[in-house]
């Protein structure tokens, strides 16, 4: 069974540019989460989808971040325009419907560097 | 809110036992989790405690005391491959999100 996959693994962009991160959850997992780790800090929650609906987006830093999950399968996280403080590792995770908030399966993350 | 504290780094010897502590201040949570993360890889689920007490899973055990705001992860018969970061996290009431500590980087030496 394929795990959670994220693309790209690394992205280097200039301040003001746009970047789109993609996450493919484990097939059949209704729950999809985005987390972020800024260097030296803890992993922080960004938002949670249940199928295509945003269940909780309390962790989204500001309106420069837009997450979508059309069709309830893969998800994208777009940062527009990117700022220096957006640099970090963006993790995606998924879980089965009945295991929401319990066992999360994480992807390896996208390392975003904004210069 | 939740404040989760863990030691930043620990070292141990192959074959030994190590205990990684986690203290937290939170108004309430569904459960306490431990994840393992090797450098550059995805965090992987290790354990989940809801009730007070010890949960054992092979060489790894996790303990929770809600009254003391305290948990620990116990790793026995350490192997070199156990060198990784260990993340303590709680899931607040009425949410499905995790609040993580900064993690403890464990280095196992031969």
């Amino acid at each position: 069974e394929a795990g959670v996959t994220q693309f790209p693994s690394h992205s280097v962009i200039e301040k003001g540019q746009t970047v789109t991160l993609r996450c493919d959850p484990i097939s059949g997992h209704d729950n999809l989460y985005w987390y972020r780790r800024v260097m030296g800090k803890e992993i922080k929650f960004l938002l949670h989808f249940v199928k295509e609906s945003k269940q909780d987006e309390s962790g989204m830093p500001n309106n420069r971040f837009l997450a979508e999950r059309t069709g309830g399968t893969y998800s994208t996280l777009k940062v527009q325009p990117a700022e220096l403080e957006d640099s970090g590792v963006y993790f995606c995770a998924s879980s089965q419907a009945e295991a929401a908030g319990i066992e999360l399966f994480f992807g390896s993350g996208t390392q975003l560097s904004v210069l | 809110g939740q404040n989760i504290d863990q030691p930043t780094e620990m070292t141990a010897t192959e074959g030994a036992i190590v205990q990684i502590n986690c203290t937290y201040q939170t108004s309430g949570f569904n459960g306490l989790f431990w994840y393992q993360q090797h450098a550059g890889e995805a965090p992987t689920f290790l354990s989940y405690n809801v009730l007070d007490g010890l949960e054992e899973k092979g060489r790894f055990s996790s303990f929770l005391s809600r009254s003391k705001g305290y948990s620990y992860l116990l790793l026995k018969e350490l192997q070199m491959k156990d060198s990784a970061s260990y993340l303590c996290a709680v899931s607040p009431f009425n949410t499905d999100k995790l609040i993580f500590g900064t993690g403890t980087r464990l280095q196992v030496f031969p």
Side-chain angles (χ1 to χ4, degrees), chain A residues 97-109:
Chain A
E98 59 274 15
I102 301 181
E103 184 170 357
L104 268 60
F105 295 85
F106 280 84
S108 298

Side-chain angles (χ1 to χ4, degrees), chain A residues 31 33 35 37 40-43 45 48 55-56 58 91 100-104 106-108, chain B residues 33 35 37 40-45 48 85 87 91 95-103:
Chain A
N31 295 289
Y33 308 81
Y35 285 81
R37 185 170 200 162
K41 304 277 190 177
E42 70 275 18
I43 297 174
F45 169 83
H48 170 206
Q55 181 79 8
D56 181 353
S58 61
F91 291 102
I102 301 181
E103 184 170 357
L104 268 60
F106 280 84
S108 298
Chain B
F33 300 78
Y35 278 77
Q37 185 181 20
E41 296 183 11
T44 55
F45 172 84
Y48 171 56
S85 287
L87 310 173
S91 176
T95 77
D96 292 329
K97 64 185 177 186
L98 295 178
I99 309 295
F100 283 92
T102 52

